Each structure stands twice: as C-alpha cells, then as structure tokens.
Amino acid sequence: MQHWYTYIIYSKKLDKFYTGFTENIQLRIERHNNGWSKFTKNGIPWELVYYEVHDSKQEALKREREIKMKKSKHYIERLINHAGDRSELTELHSESL
C-alpha cells in the first residue's frame, strides 16, 4: 500500500513553518532545500519537524488544509511538541475539525 504524508518543515532563517503533503517525503524535503518551490526557496535550509502518515492522497490533503486553516504557529508548535503523545495528537486533531 502506498502512503501519503502531511508534513511540516521549519526555516530557522525565516522563523517560519511550512505545511504540505506528498507521497515521497524525502524527495519533497530535498526539493524544498534545492529551491524548487517559490514559496520556500527564500527559507533554505528547511528542516522536517513533523509528519503524519495517511492511506490516501485525499486524507493527506484534507489534513494539510486542516492545519493550514488554523493559521496558528502555536497550534503547529503544539503538534510538534506532542508528536510522541498519541492521545494529545488525537485531541489536537479533533480541535481542528
């Protein structure tokens, strides 16, 4: 089964997060760091700080939109800080619905 990913990268240079989705997370991060995206090329280098695995492209896209709709650096930081605590992630995910 092919997996899709919702991911968050961070640029220390810009002090900004970027959220996206992809089916090949390693290649996508490489492309961000090689300047392939006009939205992220000014923030190079980018560091992968968070990701979620999904069973379909639609699920990954939906989750990307949920995170982006929050428009909240605080929400993203909470996701990252509680990535190992599955119950906290479930609660945060429920807040975004």
Side-chain angles (χ1 to χ4, degrees), residues 33-77:
N33 281 317
N34 287 326
W36 283 48
S37 170
K38 68 180 180 176
F39 297 105
T40 59
K41 71 179 184 179
N42 291 330
I44 296 169
W46 291 90
E47 174 188 357
L48 178 65
V49 293
Y50 179 83
Y51 70 92
E52 297 175 1
V53 181
H54 302 280
D55 291 330
S56 71
K57 181 178 181 179
Q58 293 77 17
E59 288 175 19
L61 175 60
K62 179 181 175 192
R63 184 64 175 133
E64 176 202 34
R65 288 180 180 161
E66 289 170 357
I67 293 169
K68 285 182 173 180
M69 291 295 291
K70 287 288 188 184
K71 298 184 188 285
S72 170
K73 187 174 185 177
H74 177 72
Y75 177 77
I76 290 172
E77 288 170 344

Side-chain angles (χ1 to χ4, degrees), residues 50 52 63 66 75 78-79 82-97:
Y50 179 83
E52 297 175 1
R63 184 64 175 133
E66 289 170 357
Y75 177 77
R78 284 177 60 202
L79 276 178
H82 296 288
D85 182 353
R86 301 319 291 170
S87 61
E88 177 74 14
L89 284 178
T90 301
E91 180 182 316
L92 288 172
H93 183 71
S94 297
E95 288 176 13
S96 69
L97 300 177

Side-chain angles (χ1 to χ4, degrees), residues 18-35:
Y18 177 87
T19 304
F21 77 98
T22 185
E23 63 181 322
N24 185 330
I25 200 163
Q26 183 177 355
L27 179 61
R28 190 69 185 112
I29 302 310
E30 287 175 16
R31 287 186 172 174
H32 281 297
N33 281 317
N34 287 326

Side-chain angles (χ1 to χ4, degrees), residues 4-22:
W4 285 81
Y5 303 88
T6 303
Y7 65 91
I8 300 172
I9 54 178
Y10 176 74
S11 167
K12 187 180 253 186
K13 178 180 174 183
L14 300 176
D15 189 29
K16 300 256 185 216
F17 292 102
Y18 177 87
T19 304
F21 77 98
T22 185

